[in-house]
Amino acid sequence: MLLDDGASSLAYQFMMPGGQSISLIYGAANQVTAVVGMGTERSSLSCSTDL
């Protein structure tokens, strides 16, 4: 879990046993503002929203 008080954001990162991860980023309105998935080869997929 990562808290950035200056940017008013909170992020949860979940690590899988194979090295993959997924992160959920919440903004000041307590809504998901981005989702980032990271593969074992450090390739990433992400999406974000402007709420």
Side-chain angles (χ1 to χ4, degrees), residues 3-51:
L3 176 62
D4 184 348
D5 194 32
S8 298
S9 66
L10 173 69
Y12 290 106
Q13 184 176 42
F14 302 94
M15 302 294 293
M16 316 301 181
Q20 306 91 338
S21 68
I22 188 163
S23 300
L24 302 172
I25 297 110
Y26 290 84
N30 294 326
Q31 294 182 338
V32 174
T33 59
V35 177
V36 179
M38 187 74 67
T40 55
E41 301 293 322
R42 306 312 290 168
S43 59
S44 65
L45 296 171
S46 64
C47 64
S48 61
T49 182
D50 202 348
L51 299 175

